[in-house]
């Protein structure tokens, strides 16, 4: 169960994900910021000893590897550079986490995942089981994207969303993003002096999304505020609180507890585990635009019938994830489609009884079944 917001602030949440950004871990000259990292590891270990279960999502492999290989643009000039830099940097990165955690008497475990690993349900459940076992053994998992094998189309690219997905997989209570900025501002604080920090976000709406720009403050990581808000959407939808706090200070978690400075996105009520996984999926293959009647029916928990669909786009296959959008284009739900795109295009607007006549013998009468759908 998701614990209370008070619990999160007081840091008594049972299980948390701590994501550390590249610019915090790696200095401008490409070295690990060891002294700072020791202060973070000390507080992580203290929480671990106090019974909290923590998973670290650590960036920094590309930044570290790029320096060692002398690659331009921080190793992000091409995908091949990023893959090579990550391969070289990751070995050093895991090494330092293992060493510093070991010095605090805690064993570390490395887990590298690709986007695909978390998008396919069976592999997702597998990753979830591994995390569970490691936590049960009193180990602290250190997770990163497997950047050396991820291709452009199938990569997270940022560890913010990865942290939220790992949080789901580990059934965590909260996600803390340590960043080079201390929260979400009403405007970009680097260019607008009137920008104000937003301490609490109850709901992620268009206003909140518009406050998040894609540029990262440091230029070293790849996240920026847009991916943090996207991570917050995934986390809160899965019943986890998410906070963005500054990592620009020593012992940043303790400092946060003392000062309360940062942005907290409040968790929604928890959905079932399967729906949570579905809502957080990033690979959406198509969109079904529905009429007002279907919008109302979905809100009442009904399945999506072809009659309520006005348009279909995308090249999806049966079982793929599609977005379901209202007439104004706003995405209101997401689900696994029961038909390939070609067949869906032929039956939309028609009554379910007519499906067999249009497509031949077909047993399915709905386009997206309510058990395979999550209303957002
Ligand atoms: N996985 C990338 C790395 O370790 C970082 C992604 C990010 O910047 O969030 O270098």
């Amino acid at each position: 169960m998701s614990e209370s917001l008070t619990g999160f602030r007081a840091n008594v949440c049972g299980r948390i994900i701590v994501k550390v950004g590249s610019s915090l871990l790696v200095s401008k000259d490409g070295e690990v910021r060891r002294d700072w990292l020791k202060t973070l590891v000390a507080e992580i270990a203290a929480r671990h000893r106090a019974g909290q279960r923590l998973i670290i999502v650590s960036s920094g492999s590309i930044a570290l590897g790029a320096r060692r290989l002398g690659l331009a643009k921080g190793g992000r000039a091409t995908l091949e550079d990023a893959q090579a830099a990550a391969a070289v940097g990751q070995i050093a990165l895991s090494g330092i986490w293992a060493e510093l955690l070991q010095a605090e008497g805690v064993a570390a475990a490395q887990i590298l995942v690709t986007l695909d690993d978390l998008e396919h349900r069976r592999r997702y459940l597998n990753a979830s089981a591994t995390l569970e076992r490691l936590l049960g053994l009193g180990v602290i998992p250190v997770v990163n994207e497997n950047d050396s094998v991820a291709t452009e189309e199938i990569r997270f690219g940022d560890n913010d969303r990865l942290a939220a997905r790992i949080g789901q997989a580990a059934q965590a209570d909260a996600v803390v993003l340590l960043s080079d900025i201390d929260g979400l501002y009403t405007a970009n604080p680097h260019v607008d002096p009137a920008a104000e920090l937003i301490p609490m976000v109850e709901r992620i709406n268009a206003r909140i999304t518009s406050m998040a720009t894609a540029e990262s403050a440091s230029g070293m990581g790849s996240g920026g505020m847009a991916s943090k808000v996207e991570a917050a959407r995934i986390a809160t939808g899965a019943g986890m609180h998410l906070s963005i706090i500054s990592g620009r200070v020593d012992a940043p978690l303790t400092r946060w507890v003392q000062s309360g400075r940062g942005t907290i996105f409040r968790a929604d009520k928890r959905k079932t585990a399967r729906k949570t996984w579905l809502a957080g999926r990033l690979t959406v293959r198509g969109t079904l635009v529905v009429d007002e009647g279907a919008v109302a029916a979905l809100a009442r928990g009904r399945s999506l019938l072809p009659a309520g669909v006005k348009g279909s786009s995308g090249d999806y296959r049966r079982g793929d994830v599609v977005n379901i959008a209202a007439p104004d284009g706003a995405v209101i739900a997401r689900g696994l489609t029961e038909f390939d795109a070609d067949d869906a295009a032929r039956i939309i607007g028609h009554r379910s009884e007519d499906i067999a006549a249009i497509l031949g013998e077909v047993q399915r009468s709905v386009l997206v079944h309510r058990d395979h759908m999550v209303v957002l």
Side-chain angles (χ1 to χ4, degrees), residues 68-367:
R68 288 173 194 210
L69 296 172
L71 294 171
K73 294 194 176 160
R76 292 173 190 269
T78 63
L79 179 65
E80 290 75 13
D81 276 6
Q83 289 176 322
V88 170
Q90 183 61 39
I91 202 164
L93 190 63
S94 327
I96 191 126
W97 278 110
E99 178 202 326
L100 297 184
L101 283 163
Q102 191 60 50
E104 294 281 347
V106 187
Q110 175 187 255
I111 298 194
L112 300 178
V113 292
T114 60
L115 177 65
D116 255 15
D117 291 329
L118 301 180
E119 297 283 280
H120 288 105
R121 181 110 181 119
R122 211 155 60 85
R123 275 147 73 189
Y124 171 87
L125 292 175
N126 200 22
S128 174
T130 309
L131 288 168
E132 194 60 46
R133 185 71 185 121
L134 287 168
L135 291 175
L137 289 167
V139 171
I140 296 192
V142 180
V143 184
N144 197 358
E145 182 162 15
N146 196 346
D147 292 304
S148 297
V149 298
T151 61
E152 209 62 83
E153 311 80 63
I154 53 143
R155 86 192 271 260
F156 278 99
D158 66 86
N159 276 2
D160 299 316
R161 292 176 305 160
L162 174 66
R165 283 298 253 169
I166 289 292
Q168 286 182 317
Q171 310 235 7
D173 300 293
V175 179
V176 179
L177 303 179
L178 289 180
S179 172
D180 50 10
I181 186 158
D182 54 0
L184 176 68
Y185 281 77
T186 50
N188 185 344
H190 297 290
V191 293
D192 185 348
E196 282 175 31
L197 182 79
I198 303 169
M200 172 72 66
V201 176
E202 298 286 345
R203 218 183 144 66
I204 301 167
N205 51 26
R207 203 172 60 86
I208 294 295
T209 320
S210 72
M211 288 171 190
T213 55
E215 306 90 57
S216 175
S218 67
M220 202 181 279
S222 58
M225 203 41 85
S227 71
K228 291 181 177 46
V229 170
E230 188 54 25
R233 192 187 64 74
I234 297 170
T236 56
M240 296 178 282
H241 304 302
L242 179 140
S243 69
I244 303 171
I245 63 169
S246 172
R248 284 253 159 256
V249 289
D250 286 350
L253 297 173
T254 311
R255 183 70 81 86
W256 173 49
V257 176
Q258 288 160 355
S259 72
R261 191 167 174 83
T263 301
I264 294 180
F265 294 79
R266 189 198 285 272
D268 292 348
K269 279 205 216 70
R270 232 164 225 230
K271 302 183 178 82
T272 65
R274 183 180 162 80
K275 290 205 171 187
T276 290
W277 169 77
L278 192 56
R281 282 218 17 188
L282 303 174
T283 331
V284 177
R285 299 271 180 226
T287 301
L288 299 168
V289 180
V290 303
D291 61 21
E292 292 297 352
V295 171
L298 297 189
R300 289 198 305 273
R302 301 281 163 76
S303 294
L304 179 64
L305 303 177
V309 181
K310 301 200 301 184
S312 157
S313 60
D315 183 21
Y316 51 86
R317 304 294 303 270
R318 182 176 180 213
D320 280 344
V321 178
V322 293
N323 277 334
I324 300 171
D328 66 359
V331 176
I332 54 163
R334 182 171 294 166
L336 304 179
T337 163
E338 298 284 336
F339 292 88
D340 293 350
D342 296 354
D343 288 346
R346 290 167 63 197
I347 59 171
I348 61 176
H350 292 278
R351 294 178 315 153
S352 298
E353 301 88 275
D354 299 336
I355 295 178
I358 300 170
L359 298 180
E361 269 324 298
V362 178
Q363 305 300 323
R364 303 178 297 278
S365 59
V366 301
L367 245 176

Side-chain angles (χ1 to χ4, degrees), residues 33-54:
R33 294 180 59 232
R34 207 183 161 88
D35 291 343
W36 172 81
L37 192 56
K38 271 189 185 164
T39 71
L40 173 64
V41 168
E43 54 182 0
I44 286 175
R47 283 158 174 261
H48 179 79
R49 282 191 290 270
Q52 190 167 51
R53 287 295 156 253
L54 302 101

